[in-house]
Amino acid sequence: MNIDLTDTTSGRINAALVRARRAMGSPAVGMVLTLVIVTDEGSHYDALKAASDASKEHPSRILVVVRRPGRSPRDRATARLDAEVRVGGETGTGETVLLRLHGELANHAHSVVLPLLLPDAPVVLWWPADPPEYPSKDPLGALAQRRITDAAETEDPVAALRGRAASYAPGDTDLAWTRVTLWRSVLAAALDQKQARVTRAVVEGEEYNPSSELLALWLADRLDVPVERVLSDGPGITAVRLTTDEGDICLERGDGSLAKLSVPGQPDRSVALHRRSTAELIAEELRRLDPDETYAHAVRFGLDRLVRGQVAEVEAAEAAQAEAARAPGGERQAPPQIVVHPDKERMARATAARLITAIADAQAARGRAHVALTGGRNGNALLAALAQAPGRDGVDWSRVDVWWGDERFLPDGDPDRNHTQARAALLDALPLDPSHVHPMPASDGPHGDDVDVAAGAYAAELAAAGDGGSGDGDGTDGAVPAFDVLLLGLGPDTHVASLFPGHPATEETGRAVVGVRQAPKPPPTRISLTLPALRAAREVWLLAAGEDKAEAAAAALTAGDPARTPAAGARGRARTLWILDEKAGALLPESVRS
């Protein structure tokens, strides 16, 4: 039975459900939960079909929320609710209500849904695509015991996983995780049969496949071994190899359906590992509504802790580079790691998610996080992406100190100052403690237009915050904070911060901050951290996007003289991360890429 209601209310919808149930002779007491689907007009059919199939196993009241805010000011100012009530037929023992929220009502979906929830029954929220940044804090998400997203349906699935990690709350889950249940079951059973110590693992799967990433994270978390993430042509996950003292345990699936399991000392076996439908995935999620702690541990383990490339080659290369990467002062610096994104937009979004995770990790480990920002088009694009990033609100911004690697020595508020641009792109939208935002001095500030005095003042501010914590021979005459992340943009001439090739500032070893005069790029007067100060950071991230950065990236990653190629001298103590788009990485030698 179908009942169409136009310009209606939640009360009328409830009355229509009762009438339909009486007419069908089917009471509602057999339904075990309410499943709320938040989708759009174009995708609601497929989502509803999957939910209806799943409800045959879990009789449910399905509420499909379709927001239609309207395009014109008049449409957005209206508020109307249309509904379609379906009982019996394809819905089986369940019932479905399709809700179309027009105009202003689209912003208040929770007020429509709340009266329609089954009493004393669990509530599950499912976003087939475009979930909110913080599902548990979304007004609809707050009604649910279980919140289901799907990273595979996002534009950048790997960046979405970083957002899931930053915003996780008990009750969250993701269909990308549900898709690896069969893989986890087979691997766990194989390890139960073969009691052998696993020393390494490899997960092969398509690029940007979140299920491959989650399976690798689960293995790394549970086995406490290095896990290598290797790209394949797919479909989906294609193989897992566990290295043990007695040989490799291999689970390979090349066709997306039938897999072969190889265990040392046992005959090979065929295992059914078909690619399950969305209905099957939803049905599995509805079987358990308690928090999935295993998923929580996996998604929060940290994508950056996976090994990219061949394990043995990476370890050998890092061992060789680590010795060569000693800075002039004798301190050991981390060799470069390279991440290449398809384009600058995805690079910005993925780096924003990566930065949120790094800040959260720093706060968990040390209570506070110190971040040094950069300007330029890539630095500002990152800040803009961070302003829109999933999980942004998961950071305690009151415990973040914001610094800068360099600044144009211009009057306060000048649109060319990095501080001014950062405020417009991000900082004004964050609940930062003003005392923890540390802009470099302006030319009209208390130190006047003497750039050397201004640089000395910033050095003193850094030293006060550093409290000796940068330590370990950073080579400067004053401590600087051990920045948890120091961001740097790459110039086409390989300059970083305001350290230009051949400029005396690149050879400074006694000071943490210097005034820069006669810079080859306008404005000619600047303030900059020195290379020793950059090297005091725990992590240094260098950003480059666009064809005009390709030669500079290739030169910096193959050169060794920081005086002529300053970017080559920018290294972090724990990590040096080069983040590029395809155009900026186009000229990298294959030996560097690997």
Side-chain angles (χ1 to χ4, degrees):
M1 175 181 290
N2 288 11
I3 302 174
D4 292 326
L5 300 170
T6 303
D7 196 6
T8 188
T9 65
S10 298
R12 292 173 187 166
I13 295 171
N14 262 324
L17 285 167
V18 172
R19 290 198 308 273
R21 278 287 169 193
R22 287 175 178 170
M24 298 291 297
S26 177
V29 293
M31 288 180 284
V32 297
L33 58 87
T34 303
L35 174 60
V36 182
I37 307 171
V38 184
T39 184
D40 56 31
E41 195 71 63
S43 305
H44 83 272
Y45 177 83
D46 291 338
L48 181 55
K49 178 68 167 61
S52 298
D53 290 345
S55 72
K56 295 174 183 177
E57 181 178 339
H58 309 276
S60 312
R61 172 174 289 180
I62 302 172
L63 306 178
V64 184
V65 177
V66 178
R67 293 186 172 101
R68 305 185 69 175
R71 296 182 179 178
S72 70
R74 175 178 292 180
D75 289 341
R76 291 194 294 270
T78 62
R80 190 179 88 242
L81 172 63
D82 296 336
E84 182 180 342
V85 177
R86 304 174 186 174
V87 177
E90 292 184 358
T91 62
T93 58
E95 56 193 23
T96 298
V97 181
L98 182 59
L99 302 166
R100 290 186 172 89
L101 284 64
H102 299 266
E104 179 62 23
L105 192 60
N107 298 322
H108 304 280
H110 61 287
S111 64
V112 176
V113 167
L114 184 59
L116 300 177
L117 302 178
L118 288 171
D120 303 321
V123 178
V124 178
L125 247 295
W126 175 30
W127 291 273
D130 300 321
E133 294 182 1
Y134 211 111
S136 64
K137 291 187 177 180
D138 178 79
L140 278 172
L143 302 175
Q145 286 75 44
R146 191 78 158 177
R147 295 168 293 275
I148 305 172
T149 55
D150 191 354
E153 294 299 321
T154 62
E155 187 174 349
D156 191 335
V158 178
L161 288 185
R162 297 184 189 278
R164 304 287 184 271
S167 65
Y168 176 82
D172 291 352
T173 190
D174 196 280
L175 293 187
W177 171 250
T178 319
R179 292 184 183 98
V180 303
T181 298
L182 298 180
W183 285 85
R184 294 193 297 123
S185 299
V186 173
L187 292 170
L191 289 173
D192 283 343
Q193 297 169 21
K194 192 70 177 179
Q195 298 292 326
R197 185 175 67 91
V198 178
T199 57
R200 293 189 187 280
V202 175
V203 175
E204 293 184 7
E206 289 176 298
E207 188 174 10
Y208 298 108
N209 179 266
S211 295
S212 301
E213 303 287 342
L214 284 169
L215 183 58
L217 291 170
W218 173 70
L219 289 169
D221 177 55
R222 298 306 293 265
L223 298 177
D224 193 26
V225 298
V227 177
E228 180 185 356
R229 172 71 172 92
V230 174
L231 302 183
S232 71
D233 294 331
I237 304 169
T238 53
V240 176
R241 295 181 180 84
L242 307 178
T243 300
T244 75
D245 298 332
E246 301 178 26
D248 287 356
I249 298 174
C250 298
L251 181 59
E252 299 179 89
R253 183 189 68 176
D255 61 358
S257 178
L258 192 65
K260 181 177 74 172
L261 176 64
S262 302
V263 179
Q266 300 180 14
D268 292 349
R269 284 168 283 173
S270 295
V271 180
L273 279 180
H274 68 283
R275 295 168 65 83
R276 296 184 293 167
S277 68
T278 304
E280 292 174 291
L281 301 175
I282 292 294
E284 178 185 325
E285 285 298 335
L286 298 183
R287 291 185 197 119
R288 53 170 297 177
L289 300 179
D290 54 313
D292 190 341
E293 295 182 359
T294 307
Y295 165 71
H297 285 296
V299 76
R300 298 170 84 173
F301 182 81
L303 287 165
D304 293 335
R305 297 167 70 179
L306 299 179
V307 178
R308 309 284 173 171
Q310 298 299 319
V311 174
E313 293 179 8
V314 168
E315 289 184 343
E318 288 187 351
Q321 290 178 14
E323 190 62 31
R326 289 183 180 273
E331 70 272 24
R332 185 177 296 277
Q333 306 299 134
Q337 298 173 346
I338 302 169
V339 177
V340 180
H341 295 279
D343 53 58
K344 62 184 180 181
E345 290 79 13
R346 276 184 275 191
M347 169 182 145
R349 288 194 298 271
T351 307
R354 185 190 297 271
L355 184 57
I356 288 172
T357 303
I359 292 172
D361 288 346
Q363 290 179 336
R366 293 175 288 278
R368 299 196 59 77
H370 289 267
V371 178
L373 303 183
T374 185
R377 69 171 188 254
N378 294 319
N380 290 324
L382 167 59
L383 298 185
L386 185 57
Q388 303 297 323
R392 186 196 79 178
D393 294 336
V395 170
D396 182 355
W397 294 103
S398 68
R399 294 191 290 124
V400 176
D401 277 82
V402 179
W403 305 84
W404 274 264
D406 75 317
E407 184 58 274
R408 291 137 174 164
F409 197 53
L410 298 168
D412 186 36
D414 189 288
D416 285 338
R417 276 176 59 86
N418 291 335
H419 174 234
T420 306
Q421 295 171 6
R423 287 189 58 181
L426 174 68
L427 302 186
D428 285 346
L430 297 179
L432 292 161
D433 184 337
S435 66
H436 296 155
V437 178
H438 311 274
M440 287 183 166
S443 62
D444 60 349
H447 313 292
D449 59 0
D450 190 327
V451 69
D452 294 321
V453 173
Y458 203 66
E461 188 173 357
L462 286 165
D467 193 28
S470 65
D472 300 336
D474 65 10
T476 62
D477 59 3
V480 300
F483 302 114
D484 294 289
V485 177
L486 186 145
L487 299 166
L488 294 171
L490 175 69
D493 59 354
T494 73
H495 84 265
V496 290
S498 285
L499 304 176
F500 295 90
H503 196 282
T506 61
E507 300 180 7
E508 176 63 48
T509 59
R511 292 177 290 173
V513 188
V514 292
V516 177
R517 290 185 171 87
Q518 298 180 342
K521 180 179 179 181
T525 307
R526 297 158 173 255
I527 300 174
S528 180
L529 299 186
T530 60
L531 283 175
L534 301 184
R535 294 185 184 119
R538 289 187 173 90
E539 297 193 16
V540 170
W541 298 3
L542 295 104
L543 312 176
E547 294 177 359
D548 60 327
K549 304 296 179 71
E551 290 186 7
L557 284 163
T558 55
D561 184 1
R564 286 183 287 185
T565 312
R571 299 285 183 92
R573 290 187 291 150
R575 171 176 291 158
T576 304
L577 189 63
W578 280 74
I579 303 173
L580 314 172
D581 73 348
E582 285 285 359
K583 292 180 179 178
L587 300 181
L588 294 182
E590 192 59 36
S591 59
V592 172
R593 277 180 175 269
S594 64

